[in-house]
Amino acid sequence: MFDYKKDFPILNQKIVYLDTAASAQKPLAVIDAMSDFIKHDYANIHRGIYDLSQRASDRYESARETVKKFINARNTDEVIFTHGGTESANLVAYSYGREFLREGDEVVITELEHHANIVPWQVLRKEKGIKLSVVPIDADGSIPIEKFKTAISDKTKIVSFAHVSNVLGTILPVKEITALAHAVGAVAVVDACQSVQHLPIDVQNTDADFLFFSGHKLYGPTGIGVLYVKRALLEKMPPYQTGGGMISSVSFDETLYAEAPLRFEAGTPPIIEAIGLQAAMNYVKNIGLDKIAAHEHSILKYADEKLSLIPGLKILSNAGKKSAIVSFVIENIHSHDAGTILNNYGVAVRAGHHCAQPLMDSLGVSSTVRASFGLYSAMEDVDALAAGIYEAKKIFGN
Amino acid sequence: MDNDLRELYQDVILDHGKSPRNFHAMANATNNALGHNPLCGDKIDLFLSIDKNNVIQDISFQGAGCAISMASASMMTEMLKGKTTDHAVKLFHAVHNMFTSSETDIKDCSVSEDDMDRLTALSGVKEFPIRVKCATLAWHTLDSALNNKKS
């Protein structure tokens, strides 16, 4: 029996937590790892000549090694620790994009993107006169590979896309899209924020050039993210932020930068958070991502079936291949009213535009209710969700 | 259903939310403002026709949002039609205070009994702090519209 709820202390209270896509709850293993590290091994890293600092540095670098294995990177120094998924996305745009994009170049994104994979490119569009092309979705929320073929041209320099949509759960074929990008000499940037906790990531197999995600959606702490960059590209990229830790020598005349990845980790990095992320990855790996995916898939299937029976409820996430998210609207009930009523029954869902306003426009809605699942989700959670929706319908008289 | 939820979704709120009054654009508006809550996407486009004696001859709105924001806007238009802009400003401050402080005392702006009932209906939202912005959107839009004469 797949039951890991007991590993998550916060879920001991009376709550049906269906907002894992916004942030996942933390298992005791992560909480303890961070707490133990602070109690026994914490100091600033790469600075002190004393044992404690050395120990902390070793632990921090061992976390980088864990990430490397988790995403199957070729080299450990291809793994950069950032402060979150959004910072990772910004780093790609403002270091690589700003250095290599020229006027008239095209960046291809999709209609599914989170604002974090839209706005940095718009800044570069204004700054450098690049063109931003958007691959449209089909009515069911999927994007056939043919649409990427149409959008990608000789002018395309970057193809940046979500592995999994944060609103619809749609899974995009990373390997195929990356191959299309490479065929025209472009690089592929994969936003794995909604996939790393559900699907195995293999950057060598997919040949992605950049891949990023945040720690907190992977059952780890907030304040840390990862950016994977293929080594050949990494060596050419200028620093994104400057300061301590990212230099090899500084005089008032000239500064020499450190090698990657430290060149991209200015200032004191999220050390404790790296230890937490490492514990989260080990936790997930011990259970097995394939088992997690199978469990979440069964929950998702049950939710789709159960919710589609509710009159007036329309599920918007209908892609053939999708991850643990169900997004829906209810006739005559605004998503915020639904969210408030569900909350009253102890069910935590997200209601709103999910930082994807262009997608909302495309779907023809101003907001949706989103229920998202994690490894601790159970069938009873879906039952509670459905019961809450029936109550909302009762209150609104439909 | 618990009492707070019943207080929030009273019949009068649901009724106004479902069938908002004065819900249309206005061609000859003297004042207009667009209110937008970027966090939830609620939008209210508010129109006023104010005569030279500062009396609100007509008021209407269009927009999209949750039951609370629509009901609040709808009831606001009912409360302000035929009233002076001074009264509207007073009412705006009274409503603002009602939602942002623990005081529910709104008697010093000489509201009618009907208006008092409407405001009391809206006050249920105070138990749901995250939804207060839904209820106040129309009123903040009113504040901008009063300061935003159409040229």
Side-chain angles (χ1 to χ4, degrees), chain A residues 332 334 336-341 343-345 351-353 357 366-367 391 395-398, chain B residues 1-2 4-5 8-9 14 18 38-42 64-68 128 130-131 134:
Chain A
N332 297 325
H334 191 275
H336 286 110
D337 295 316
T340 293
I341 294 166
N343 174 59
N344 198 70
Y345 291 95
H353 55 61
Q357 285 178 22
S366 63
S367 65
E391 288 301 326
I395 291 169
F396 273 75
N398 61 355
Chain B
M1 176 167 51
D2 73 12
D4 286 348
L5 203 57
L8 180 64
Y9 291 111
L14 293 172
K18 209 176 278 181
L39 282 180
C40 62
D42 287 1
C66 63
I68 309 301
F128 299 83
I130 212 155
R131 303 300 301 280
C134 309

Side-chain angles (χ1 to χ4, degrees), chain A residues 148-188:
Chain A
F148 281 93
K149 286 181 187 158
T150 311
I152 294 170
S153 74
D154 290 347
K155 289 188 175 154
T156 306
K157 293 291 179 284
I158 296 174
V159 181
S160 189
F161 60 97
H163 187 185
V164 168
S165 156
N166 72 311
V167 178
L168 301 179
T170 307
I171 301 172
L172 293 182
V174 175
K175 198 171 178 175
E176 285 83 345
I177 298 167
T178 300
L180 290 175
H182 289 170
V184 296
V187 295

Side-chain angles (χ1 to χ4, degrees), chain A residues 179-195:
Chain A
L180 290 175
H182 289 170
V184 296
V187 295
V189 184
V190 182
D191 171 357
C193 288
Q194 295 292 347
S195 61

Side-chain angles (χ1 to χ4, degrees), chain B residues 64-121:
Chain B
C66 63
I68 309 301
S69 68
M70 290 295 106
S72 181
S74 172
M75 292 198 277
M76 183 185 81
T77 61
E78 283 196 322
M79 291 161 78
L80 292 179
K81 205 179 271 193
K83 301 285 166 46
T84 64
T85 53
D86 280 354
H87 181 79
V89 170
K90 270 191 203 160
L91 208 51
F92 165 68
H93 289 298
V95 169
H96 195 261
N97 284 342
M98 178 176 90
F99 286 126
T100 53
S101 74
S102 54
E103 299 283 312
T104 46
D105 190 3
I106 41 173
K107 55 180 178 279
D108 56 329
C109 52
S110 61
V111 296
S112 68
E113 219 166 283
D114 276 357
D115 286 358
M116 192 61 115
D117 287 348
R118 292 185 179 107
L119 291 177
T120 309

Side-chain angles (χ1 to χ4, degrees), chain A residues 109-324:
Chain A
I109 59 173
T110 82
E111 214 161 38
L112 291 171
E113 299 317 311
H114 185 282
H115 292 165
N117 194 26
I118 301 173
V119 184
W121 304 116
Q122 288 174 327
V123 170
L124 288 188
R125 178 170 67 187
K126 201 168 172 192
E127 200 176 292
K128 312 203 65 139
I130 59 161
K131 200 182 149 210
L132 197 53
S133 302
V134 183
V135 185
I137 56 166
D138 275 3
D140 65 356
S142 67
I143 306 182
I145 195 76
E146 285 69 32
K147 288 195 170 178
F148 281 93
K149 286 181 187 158
T150 311
I152 294 170
S153 74
D154 290 347
K155 289 188 175 154
T156 306
K157 293 291 179 284
I158 296 174
V159 181
S160 189
F161 60 97
H163 187 185
V164 168
S165 156
N166 72 311
V167 178
L168 301 179
T170 307
I171 301 172
L172 293 182
V174 175
K175 198 171 178 175
E176 285 83 345
I177 298 167
T178 300
L180 290 175
H182 289 170
V184 296
V187 295
V189 184
V190 182
D191 171 357
C193 288
Q194 295 292 347
S195 61
V196 70
Q197 65 280 48
H198 302 299
L199 306 166
I201 302 287
D202 185 333
V203 291
Q204 287 190 67
N205 178 259
T206 57
D207 205 22
D209 301 286
F210 299 86
L211 180 135
F212 64 84
F213 56 90
S214 54
H216 70 96
K217 288 183 165 75
L218 180 59
Y219 310 99
T222 53
I224 187 162
V226 164
L227 172 64
Y228 159 83
V229 186
K230 222 184 252 175
R231 188 188 245 165
L233 297 168
L234 200 52
E235 282 163 3
K236 295 192 282 186
M237 283 164 58
Y240 157 73
Q241 290 183 333
T242 52
M246 52 77 67
I247 50 88
S248 68
S249 78
V250 175
S251 74
F252 284 111
D253 292 326
E254 192 188 20
T255 290
L256 296 173
Y257 301 130
E259 293 294 311
L262 295 186
R263 180 159 83 239
F264 299 98
E265 295 179 1
T268 295
I271 305 166
I272 301 159
E273 290 79 359
I275 303 308
L277 178 58
Q278 177 180 42
M281 285 182 162
N282 287 335
Y283 176 78
V284 164
K285 211 150 72 180
N286 284 340
I287 297 173
L289 260 174
D290 47 344
K291 281 193 193 136
I292 293 172
H295 170 73
E296 289 170 344
H297 187 74
S298 65
I299 305 274
L300 181 66
K301 194 161 163 277
Y302 181 59
D304 276 344
E305 284 165 9
K306 187 120 188 166
L307 297 187
S308 60
L309 293 176
I310 301 177
L313 185 145
K314 187 181 169 202
I315 295 175
L316 299 168
S317 47
N318 294 309
K321 284 190 78 179
K322 63 169 190 161
S323 182

Side-chain angles (χ1 to χ4, degrees), chain A residues 364-375:
Chain A
V365 297
S366 63
S367 65
T368 76
V369 182
R370 179 186 70 185
S372 53
F373 310 108
L375 66 89

Side-chain angles (χ1 to χ4, degrees), chain B residues 8-94:
Chain B
L8 180 64
Y9 291 111
Q10 298 176 36
D11 288 345
V12 59
I13 301 276
L14 293 172
D15 177 46
H16 277 267
K18 209 176 278 181
S19 327
R21 322 295 196 266
N22 303 304
F23 191 75
H24 53 81
M26 194 191 296
N28 58 346
T30 55
N31 296 58
N32 170 238
L34 185 67
H36 182 214
N37 182 347
L39 282 180
C40 62
D42 287 1
K43 270 182 197 150
I44 286 173
D45 200 4
L46 184 68
F47 305 91
L48 294 114
S49 171
I50 301 171
D51 70 14
K52 60 181 188 304
N53 299 317
N54 290 326
V55 174
I56 299 169
Q57 289 296 345
D58 200 5
I59 176 167
S60 70
F61 77 107
Q62 284 188 307
C66 63
I68 309 301
S69 68
M70 290 295 106
S72 181
S74 172
M75 292 198 277
M76 183 185 81
T77 61
E78 283 196 322
M79 291 161 78
L80 292 179
K81 205 179 271 193
K83 301 285 166 46
T84 64
T85 53
D86 280 354
H87 181 79
V89 170
K90 270 191 203 160
L91 208 51
F92 165 68
H93 289 298

